[in-house]
Amino acid sequence: MSEEKKPLNFIEQIIEEDLANGTQKENLRFRFPPEPNGYLHIGHTKAIGISFGLGEKYNAPVNLRFDDTNPAKEEQEYVDAIKKDVSWLGYQWANECYSSDYFQQLYDWTIQLIKDGKAYVDSQTSEAMAEQKGTPTQEGTNSPFRDRSVTKNLDLFDKMKKGEFAEGEHILRAKIDMKSTNMLMRDPIMYRVLYKSHHRTGKDWCIYPMYDWTHGESDYIEQISHSLCTLEFNPHRELYNWFRNNVYEYSKNEYPLIPKQREFSRLNLSYTIMSKRKLLKLVEENIVNGWDDPRMPTISGLRRRGYTPQAVRNFIETVGVSKRENIIDVSLLEFKIREDLNKTANRVMGVLDPVKVIIDNYPEGEEEILIAENNPEDENSGTREVPFSREIYIEREDFREEANKKFFRLKLGKEVRLKNAYFITATSCEKNENGEITVIHCTYDPLTKSGSGTEESKRKVKGTLHWVSIPHAVKAEVRAYDRLFLDESPDGHKDKDFMEFVNPDSLKTINAFVEPSLQTAKIGERFQFQRLGYFNVDDDTTSEKLVFNKTVGLRDSWTKKK
Ligand code: ATP
Ligand code: MG
């Protein structure tokens, strides 16, 4: 309902105008075009959200197109990961497409362009070409090969295709305008020779088309109505249109619709980087344990960390669509997962830094089963059984021998509530030779049992602690994460490489004890460890070993730390 009232973003406005000016609604078609040279990151979800969101809004097809024109960097592993991630976000593509499926069509159009004097083979060194390119304020100069005859161009291009030249010996360029104020229009490269096996076309081709020559034409072949991309492609739009207008002349009967490119701002997130190439470096240099390391800003990293698709989509929704670049604070993303998990995650108890408590007046050898609410935010979530006994663990930081009035946790002579159980009062403690507390002695009040409704259980106590019964405790490894980078904008320094800002202490491995109900927790399941934060069961979990990731704390403690 509230969605109806939301003002249109600028892309929706463009589409509404086009519809008002005669574009048929059934001709609306969008695409998301990743290059399979790495895993998708949170930035991509903005592009995904925009195109698939429009698909949902206008009931229009959205293609997933792999922009796979650079065999040197592309792999099937990445294709599979991208498909998994888009599906996980909950989007369905109409067609799975590959730019490499259009290599033949692109080649055929190229022959026509050469015949029409709109493309030529250049045989200079790349240095010579770079020199002639000019600068934004200085015109370029024509290549001495620019006026080769059509016959010669067709012959050389044919030999390029047949593998008769070495890499870099010849390239094919569009013949546009070396004096253009737009550098990209100065006879851009269309094809280069590359002796690399392609993940789909194998060794069929040894000439590969460049991005600008491929991208718009792929849009055109798929009859995409609105080709949406990030702002850095804005200067490419002129070239996009040049190629498109030319091929339209050749193929308007077969492909009557003309796509148009429009640009929106990239999503940048604080304390991380958004580039597949740079993320790959983190993987290759073992700074992280793979693309799906829970510290990575990749979709697979967020999934493994315990993020829900809904939280990621809510985040993208809040970020919105704009034409201005900015950096979104990562705490917004964390807010979104907290908000979602607060509604959906069952509460449990786990102790990360245990110290032993003995309840001296609780009968030795006895135990009882207490009933705990799974999630007070969800009345359908039910209850679970939590065993209680004479010896329990609490967090070390929840006890002090002495403390001021603001310390609401356990201290000698004071009473606190044990979550789901009884009130206890600390009476004494034991220490080892280093002065570390090894045991805290307490007494409990049997009349204060949680949920018993007694007058005693309504007594005012300030603190409530989580705990785990020692004989029932289950060992678990907990992985707690800090920011992967120490700088807010690791990518934003001219004189420093982003690698210089890697946080050396971004992973902390903790041996924790958790309540026995977690023994049967399944990989991916998410919980709130009461008072500590949200945790999920990591992929590394086996029947012998339980591993949790800390998804996020209960509060934004990090901003406060700063
Ligand atoms: P990277 O530099 O990470 O490889 P890219 O732009 O080269 O990013 P592509 O696979 O080519 O990655 O991107 C597919 C689509 O996702 C493009 O339309 C691109 O504009 C968009 N995209 C990439 N990064 C972002 C981002 N940070 N915010 C919004 N959209 C993005
Ligand atoms: Mg790219």
Side-chain angles (χ1 to χ4, degrees):
M1 272 172 292
S2 60
E3 218 151 276
E4 308 275 342
K5 286 188 214 123
K6 252 186 14 195
L8 298 179
N9 67 46
F10 82 96
I11 293 175
E12 290 165 341
Q13 278 171 21
I14 290 170
I15 292 170
E16 291 297 332
E17 273 167 33
D18 289 344
L19 290 173
N21 291 328
T23 296
Q24 297 298 306
K25 195 153 178 275
E26 57 272 20
N27 287 337
L28 289 180
R29 189 183 291 269
F30 308 96
R31 90 287 173 265
F32 171 63
E35 182 182 355
N37 62 343
Y39 282 56
L40 296 181
H41 49 67
I42 182 81
H44 288 110
T45 55
K46 178 169 176 181
I48 294 170
I50 289 175
S51 285
F52 280 94
L54 290 168
E56 285 174 359
K57 182 175 164 107
Y58 293 101
N59 195 19
V62 184
N63 289 348
L64 175 60
R65 181 194 321 135
F66 293 98
D67 224 328
D68 57 347
T69 55
N70 185 0
K73 293 189 187 149
E74 295 156 6
E75 287 172 34
Q76 186 60 39
E77 177 198 345
Y78 298 140
V79 170
D80 297 339
I82 289 169
K83 285 165 65 176
K84 183 174 174 185
D85 289 347
V86 175
S87 300
W88 180 75
L89 284 170
Y91 295 112
Q92 277 173 336
W93 52 90
N95 304 290
E96 180 181 329
C97 306
Y98 293 83
S99 293
S100 55
D101 287 346
Y102 312 138
F103 281 171
Q104 186 61 47
Q105 174 67 80
L106 289 166
Y107 177 81
D108 294 343
W109 278 329
T110 303
I111 297 297
Q112 282 178 288
L113 286 171
I114 295 174
K115 285 182 179 166
D116 287 345
K118 290 179 175 168
Y120 64 98
V121 174
D122 200 344
S123 313
Q124 305 182 87
T125 62
S126 53
E127 292 78 21
M129 274 185 265
E131 257 171 52
Q132 291 158 5
K133 193 94 205 189
T135 67
T137 52
Q138 197 193 347
E139 292 177 353
T141 39
N142 288 350
S143 161
F145 298 100
R146 200 172 196 263
D147 292 320
R148 265 176 169 153
S149 69
V150 168
T151 322
K152 184 72 185 165
N153 280 321
L154 286 173
D155 176 53
L156 287 170
F157 189 54
D158 187 51
K159 288 183 169 136
M160 279 171 70
K161 178 175 183 268
K162 285 184 175 143
E164 295 181 20
F165 299 128
E167 288 183 10
E169 227 179 310
H170 304 277
I171 54 158
L172 188 87
R173 298 175 77 172
K175 195 193 263 190
I176 308 181
D177 180 8
M178 290 303 289
K179 295 189 173 67
S180 172
T181 49
N182 182 348
M183 299 278 288
L184 293 164
M185 298 298 279
R186 296 182 186 174
D187 292 8
I189 301 176
M190 293 175 68
Y191 279 95
R192 75 272 202 224
V193 173
L194 213 54
Y195 292 102
K196 285 255 159 52
S197 180
H198 186 279
H199 71 107
R200 285 175 61 84
T201 59
K203 293 217 153 59
D204 291 355
W205 298 85
C206 66
I207 51 170
Y208 287 98
M210 301 299 287
Y211 173 84
D212 286 305
W213 168 233
T214 313
H215 191 86
E217 284 43 66
S218 302
D219 287 340
Y220 179 56
I221 292 168
E222 291 172 22
Q223 293 284 277
I224 301 303
S225 59
H226 296 79
S227 173
L228 307 167
C229 58
T230 37
L231 280 177
E232 73 272 19
F233 291 103
N234 179 273
H236 294 248
R237 200 203 280 183
E238 192 181 356
L239 180 54
Y240 181 101
N241 292 347
W242 190 89
F243 282 133
R244 182 203 61 196
N245 293 346
N246 274 295
V247 298
Y248 178 72
E249 286 308 316
Y250 303 142
S251 302
K252 58 180 128 193
N253 293 330
E254 196 180 346
Y255 303 117
L257 303 175
I258 299 183
K260 68 192 211 186
Q261 175 184 303
R262 290 295 178 269
E263 308 85 14
F264 56 87
S265 66
R266 286 179 91 82
L267 170 68
N268 301 301
L269 200 60
S270 64
Y271 293 97
T272 193
I273 50 172
M274 291 284 155
S275 151
K276 289 187 241 116
R277 185 173 54 79
K278 292 176 182 169
L279 294 171
L280 176 64
K281 196 163 174 193
L282 296 175
V283 173
E284 284 179 340
E285 300 197 3
N286 295 315
I287 305 288
V288 294
N289 300 313
W291 285 97
D292 69 343
D293 186 299
R295 291 166 290 180
M296 289 282 267
T298 51
I299 298 179
S300 52
L302 291 168
R303 173 169 60 235
R304 187 155 176 189
R305 176 85 173 245
Y307 273 74
T308 59
Q310 193 57 51
V312 176
R313 288 177 68 149
N314 291 347
F315 169 73
I316 290 303
E317 178 83 34
T318 301
V319 166
V321 180
S322 77
K323 278 191 263 196
R324 218 173 335 113
E325 291 282 349
N326 59 353
I327 299 183
I328 304 294
D329 200 309
V330 66
S331 61
L332 176 65
L333 182 62
E334 292 170 349
F335 172 81
K336 293 294 178 182
I337 184 62
R338 228 179 257 127
E339 179 188 54
D340 193 28
L341 292 179
N342 181 43
K343 285 183 261 166
T344 56
N346 281 351
R347 276 59 172 162
V348 293
M349 292 193 287
V351 175
L352 301 193
D353 183 17
V355 62
K356 182 173 177 173
V357 171
I358 300 179
I359 301 164
D360 290 306
N361 62 337
Y362 195 88
E364 234 164 300
E366 207 167 286
E367 61 180 56
E368 64 188 295
I369 299 296
L370 305 171
I371 302 300
E373 224 181 336
N374 278 334
N375 184 356
E377 302 288 320
D378 174 4
E379 56 185 30
N380 298 318
S381 64
T383 57
R384 69 185 190 288
E385 299 183 336
V386 183
F388 183 75
S389 69
R390 188 170 193 264
E391 299 193 354
I392 62 172
Y393 288 129
I394 63 167
E395 296 291 345
R396 188 166 284 280
E397 66 165 24
D398 280 341
F399 173 74
R400 286 194 203 155
E401 289 176 85
E402 286 173 57
N404 67 22
K405 284 206 178 91
K406 286 194 184 130
F407 187 77
F408 295 137
R409 293 169 273 173
L410 190 62
K411 56 189 167 188
L412 292 178
K414 281 280 181 242
E415 188 170 56
V416 293
R417 182 198 314 267
L418 292 177
K419 185 82 194 163
N420 306 313
Y422 298 94
F423 293 6
I424 57 169
T425 303
T427 52
S428 67
C429 62
E430 295 172 29
K431 292 179 191 170
N432 64 17
E433 61 272 23
N434 301 324
E436 283 165 359
I437 293 167
T438 50
V439 180
I440 303 162
H441 289 274
C442 290
T443 56
Y444 87 118
D445 181 347
L447 297 174
T448 57
K449 186 169 169 176
S450 167
S452 63
T454 59
E455 279 310 307
E456 288 81 357
S457 69
K458 289 173 194 152
R459 199 153 64 215
K460 269 221 170 105
V461 286
K462 283 250 165 76
T464 300
L465 307 187
H466 59 278
W467 52 275
V468 175
S469 164
I470 294 179
H472 306 93
V474 174
K475 272 195 185 143
E477 178 179 314
V478 169
R479 298 173 184 167
Y481 305 101
D482 199 350
R483 308 266 192 253
L484 192 49
F485 292 96
L486 294 167
D487 190 82
E488 188 167 1
S489 179
D491 227 358
H493 299 262
K494 280 212 178 76
D495 49 339
K496 284 190 176 144
D497 189 67
F498 72 97
M499 293 294 275
E500 290 182 41
F501 300 106
V502 167
N503 177 2
D505 298 313
S506 56
L507 168 63
K508 200 160 96 193
T509 304
I510 298 163
N511 293 313
F513 290 100
V514 297
E515 63 170 73
S517 74
L518 288 171
Q519 186 86 68
T520 52
K522 307 240 171 358
I523 287 177
E525 255 190 283
R526 306 176 181 95
F527 300 92
Q528 184 195 93
F529 284 16
Q530 284 179 311
R531 297 181 64 231
L532 297 177
Y534 295 97
F535 296 73
N536 77 326
V537 183
D538 186 72
D539 297 6
D540 285 345
T541 294
T542 63
S543 54
E544 272 85 56
K545 187 179 175 194
L546 197 51
V547 182
F548 286 95
N549 297 304
K550 183 169 181 179
T551 309
V552 69
L554 288 181
R555 271 169 290 279
D556 189 357
S557 59
W558 204 85
T559 340
K560 274 188 231 130
K561 221 179 358 175
K562 262 197 297 190

